[in-house]
Amino acid sequence: MRTILWPKHSPIIPTSESRAFHRHRNAVYTPEKFETYIDWFYFIHLDPRARAVHAFGMVVGTFLYLISAYKFFIFGISLNLTITILTAAFFFFYLPLLSHYLYDGGGAKSTSDKFIPTFLPVIHINLMTLTGKFDPWLREFIKKYPFTVEAWKLEEKEVRKKLL
């Protein structure tokens, strides 16, 4: 049976205990502990449930942006187009931010000045999550930052028993 690394504190419905665990980890493992800011950014996105919300938001937001482009080219600017764009922005940008507040109390997010440098890494994280490639990537990341296992309390779980 195939296994994946899964954080011990990753409940479907976050608890005050799981949020406290994540807040404490984020206070201890700051960007200065990593070779690059982007490495830290990947580190704070290891929670599979928060990543699932991020990926869902990206997929829905992208679909709505495509519909917005279609509406613009066919119908031009309208209230309906504006509402579609704002809804797309909610899913693509704000739902992932809300997931940080939900799952880790808001501590695991980058600052607005890092929006451009982290845009492609977050898409990479989402695509790895959607395609099932995150676990092999995580195992390579751990070779560079072995403290990740303890920091996240990662455990081997059988895939069939651990679905998002």
Side-chain angles (χ1 to χ4, degrees):
M1 179 60 53
R2 191 175 143 248
T3 63
I4 59 172
L5 290 171
W6 193 270
K8 181 178 180 180
H9 298 283
S10 184
I12 292 174
I13 299 172
T15 63
S16 57
E17 177 190 355
S18 67
R19 281 190 199 103
F21 172 80
H22 292 298
R23 276 194 303 274
H24 174 72
R25 184 201 56 251
N26 294 331
V28 171
Y29 297 95
T30 59
E32 297 76 30
K33 301 236 189 244
F34 295 83
E35 188 177 306
T36 67
Y37 186 87
I38 299 303
D39 285 351
W40 172 79
F41 185 79
Y42 276 97
F43 176 82
I44 64 172
H45 286 91
L46 297 187
D47 187 287
R49 301 202 193 273
R51 283 194 339 269
V53 173
H54 280 57
F56 172 77
M58 182 185 79
V59 168
V60 173
T62 299
F63 177 73
L64 291 172
Y65 280 130
L66 292 172
I67 289 185
S68 298
Y70 172 79
K71 287 180 178 182
F72 175 74
F73 288 115
I74 301 299
F75 305 111
I77 297 174
S78 67
L79 178 59
N80 186 290
L81 172 64
T82 303
I83 291 169
T84 305
I85 291 171
L86 291 174
T87 305
F90 170 78
F91 279 99
F92 200 95
F93 297 107
Y94 297 104
L95 183 62
L97 289 176
L98 290 173
S99 76
H100 284 292
Y101 288 100
L102 178 66
Y103 285 99
D104 59 48
K109 63 185 183 320
S110 62
T111 56
S112 59
D113 64 317
K114 301 292 188 189
F115 175 77
I116 298 297
T118 60
F119 187 72
L120 289 178
V122 80
I123 290 173
H124 181 237
I125 291 166
N126 292 340
L127 290 174
M128 287 191 298
T129 299
L130 291 168
T131 60
K133 304 285 186 201
F134 195 85
D135 187 70
W137 175 90
L138 175 57
R139 291 174 189 277
E140 288 301 313
F141 184 82
I142 288 169
K143 290 177 184 176
K144 186 173 184 181
Y145 299 107
F147 59 79
T148 302
V149 173
E150 180 59 29
W152 278 88
K153 304 283 188 242
L154 295 174
E155 304 172 327
E156 293 281 352
K157 297 288 181 175
E158 289 184 8
V159 172
R160 69 182 175 141
K161 290 184 180 180
K162 213 38 151 168
L163 298 176
L164 295 176

